[in-house]
Amino acid sequence: MRIVIAGAGIGGLAAALSLHAAGFEDVTVHEAVPEIRPLGVGVNLLPHAVRELTELGLADRLAAIGVATAELAYFNRYGTPIWSEPRGLAAGYAWPQYSVHRGRLQLLLLEAVTERLGPHAVRTGSRITGPGDEDLLIGADGIHSAVRARLHPGEGPPPWNGLVLWRGTTYGEPFLTGRSMIMAGDGTQKFVAYPIETGGRTLINWIAERPLDGEAPDRGNWNRPADPAEIVRHFADWRFDWLDVPGVIAGAGAAYEYPMVDRDPLPRWTFGNVTLLGDAAHAMYPIGSNGASQAIIDARVLAHSLARGDLASYEEQRRPAATALQLSNRRMGPEVVMKLAHERAPGGFDDIEEIVPYAERAEIAASYKRTAGFDPASLNERPSWSVTRRFSPRPSPRPSPRPSGAHRPGASSG
C-alpha cells in the first residue's frame, strides 16, 4: 500500500512513524520547504500524546529534550491564585507531561522517521495539493492546508477572533516549582509562561495575549517578528512576587506575533483515498495545550484504523472528538476560570472560594480533560492503539466522489 503524507510537521511525521509501526512500508512524507529547520517556540505534550510517543519507542529521546511539567496554575492579573493542579505523573497519569521547543520536537521526529523509514522517506521542496497514484493521501499540511482547500474549496483565510498572541523565549530565574506552567489574566489580557529548558539556566517560553486594533496581518504565520518593547507596554504593571512579567518579555532575544485564528469544524475529512490530519483537519485556538497533542493522537488512530482495513473508522473516532474540542477552545476551555474570576471580582479578591467556588473550578478542569481525551482514569485504562499487522490492509472509505485533480504545485507546510 503506497501512502503519501503532505506536510512534515509534528502531525505528518508522527503519522509516518505510526504507519511504519503498524507495518506499512511504502510511506513518503512531502514537505514544501527546501529545508526543515527547528523553528517556533514552546509547545506542550499532554499525557495522552506522551503515551503515544512512548509506545512508538521515543520516551527516552523525548525526556532528553523536554521539561516534565509539575503543575498548571491560573492567576488573575494581580498574580492572585485562582486554580492549580498537578500535572503528569503527579496527577496520577501513567505518563508525564512535557514542555518542549517545537523545533526540537520536530527534529526528533524527523530523525526517527529517517532512521526507521530510510533517508529518502522525507522529501523536502516537494508540494502536494491533491491525489495522484498513491493508495492514500494524508493532508497534514497545516492551517493553510492545500489538500484541505481541494476537498473544501472556498473557505478563505482562517477566521480571526480579534486577539493577538505574542510569543517568545527568555532566559530567566525559575518560578514557583521550577517546572510550573502558569496563566495569568483579567478577561481581556493573558500571560502564559513555562520552562522549556532547565538546569544551569531556565529558558522560559512565554505568550502574551490581548485584543488587537485593526485587521490581523498574516493569519496563520507564526514567524512574523514583533518588538518586545511594544509588547511590554501592555503588561508594564504585571509584576508579581514570583514573576516579573514585563522583565520576562523585555528579556526576549526575539518575539513573534500571531493573530489568534482557527478553522471552522468540517462536516467531513475523508474523500475517497484522501483524508486530513492535525491542523489541516481541525486547527484550533491554542487553548489547553492541545494542538500538537491532538495531531499525534490523529496519527495513531489513523494507523490503527488502516491496519484493520477500515479508514472510515479513523474519521468516526476523531472528527467528533476534535470538533468538540475546537468548540470548547472557542469558549476558552479551562482558561474560562480567569474570565469568571475577573467578571465576578474585577478589582481582585482575597478568597477565590467566595468568587469561584472549588466545585465549579474543579468541574471546569475535569470537563475539559474529558473533552480533550486526557481524563486520567480513562487514559490509563484505554487499550493501546499499537497494532501488529497480520494481513495486507486496504482502506475502506465510505463511497464518495473523488476530488478532481492530481499532484500539482501548491502550498504545503508542516
Side-chain angles (χ1 to χ4, degrees):
M1 181 178 185
R2 180 169 179 261
I3 302 174
V4 170
I5 301 170
I10 291 169
L13 294 171
L17 290 170
S18 299
L19 290 163
H20 179 266
F24 296 91
E25 300 295 338
D26 192 354
V27 179
T28 308
V29 184
H30 292 254
E31 170 56 51
V33 301
E35 179 185 5
I36 297 175
R37 295 180 294 145
L39 300 176
V41 283
V43 296
N44 279 272
L45 293 177
L46 300 179
H48 55 344
V50 175
R51 172 180 180 172
E52 302 312 322
L53 295 179
T54 298
E55 293 185 359
L56 287 171
L58 300 174
D60 291 343
R61 298 190 196 191
L62 187 56
I65 67 167
V67 174
T69 310
E71 70 164 349
L72 170 65
Y74 295 96
F75 302 82
N76 68 2
R77 61 154 297 160
Y78 305 107
T80 307
I82 296 173
W83 170 259
S84 66
E85 60 184 64
R87 281 293 171 120
L89 301 177
Y93 292 99
W95 302 270
Q97 175 174 327
Y98 287 113
S99 298
V100 61
H101 189 284
R102 183 199 176 279
R104 296 186 70 186
L105 174 62
Q106 185 181 15
L107 291 186
L108 181 157
L109 297 174
L110 177 63
E111 180 182 62
V113 169
T114 301
E115 291 172 357
R116 299 177 188 184
L117 281 75
H120 303 296
V122 178
R123 301 177 184 177
T124 57
S126 178
R127 293 181 172 91
I128 290 182
T129 65
D133 58 358
E134 67 278 329
D135 295 294
L136 179 67
L137 170 61
I138 301 168
D141 47 343
I143 193 169
H144 295 296
S145 169
V147 177
R148 174 177 172 135
R150 288 290 299 274
L151 300 180
H152 297 275
E155 274 196 301
W160 175 48
N161 71 353
L163 298 176
V164 64
L165 306 178
W166 292 295
R167 305 185 62 145
T169 56
T170 303
Y171 282 102
E173 295 298 318
F175 54 89
L176 300 180
T177 68
R179 294 185 290 118
S180 297
M181 179 178 185
I182 70 96
M183 301 187 187
D186 63 1
T188 302
Q189 296 188 188
K190 181 178 73 177
F191 186 78
V192 180
Y194 52 87
I196 56 174
E197 290 181 16
T198 57
R201 303 176 73 189
T202 295
L203 183 61
I204 301 169
N205 183 85
W206 56 264
I207 305 165
E209 173 189 314
R210 73 178 301 274
L212 178 68
D213 297 330
E215 178 61 23
D218 295 343
R219 297 187 191 182
N221 177 10
W222 276 107
N223 298 306
R224 180 181 173 85
D227 181 1
E230 170 65 18
I231 306 168
V232 166
R233 70 183 184 88
H234 299 292
F235 295 85
D237 60 346
W238 289 45
R239 288 187 170 88
F240 313 144
D241 293 342
W242 46 273
L243 186 66
D244 178 3
V245 171
V248 169
I249 297 172
Y256 304 93
E257 179 180 281
Y258 180 74
M260 188 181 280
V261 296
D262 66 357
R263 284 290 189 186
D264 291 329
L266 289 175
R268 188 171 176 182
W269 293 358
T270 305
F271 291 78
N273 67 331
V274 184
T275 195
L276 301 174
L277 180 150
D279 279 356
H282 50 69
M284 58 189 68
Y285 291 157
I287 302 287
S289 308
N290 259 284
S293 294
Q294 293 298 319
I296 292 167
I297 302 298
D298 288 350
R300 292 281 284 167
V301 174
L302 176 59
H304 182 264
S305 299
L306 286 173
R308 293 163 51 221
D310 187 8
L311 174 59
S313 69
Y314 161 63
E315 181 170 338
E316 289 168 1
Q317 292 182 69
R318 291 299 300 147
R319 187 172 58 80
T323 295
L325 189 56
Q326 285 178 287
L327 298 177
S328 176
N329 282 8
R330 286 183 172 183
R331 298 188 296 268
M332 297 185 67
E335 298 173 19
V336 74
V337 293
M338 295 184 292
K339 180 175 183 288
L340 293 175
H342 174 71
E343 289 175 346
R344 298 174 189 180
F349 53 83
D350 295 321
D351 185 358
I352 186 59
E353 186 65 22
E354 296 178 355
I355 308 303
V356 187
Y358 176 85
E360 184 177 4
R361 287 174 284 147
E363 177 53 27
I364 289 170
S367 175
Y368 189 76
K369 292 183 180 71
R370 293 191 295 267
T371 299
F374 68 108
D375 169 72
S378 298
L379 175 60
N380 290 348
E381 296 167 7
R382 174 180 60 74
S384 173
W385 284 318
S386 294
V387 297
T388 300
R389 191 178 68 171
R390 301 181 184 277
F391 56 91
S392 180
R394 301 289 296 181
S396 56
R398 69 191 73 157
S400 63
R402 175 169 166 169
S404 62
H407 289 262
R408 296 178 184 172
S412 170
S413 64

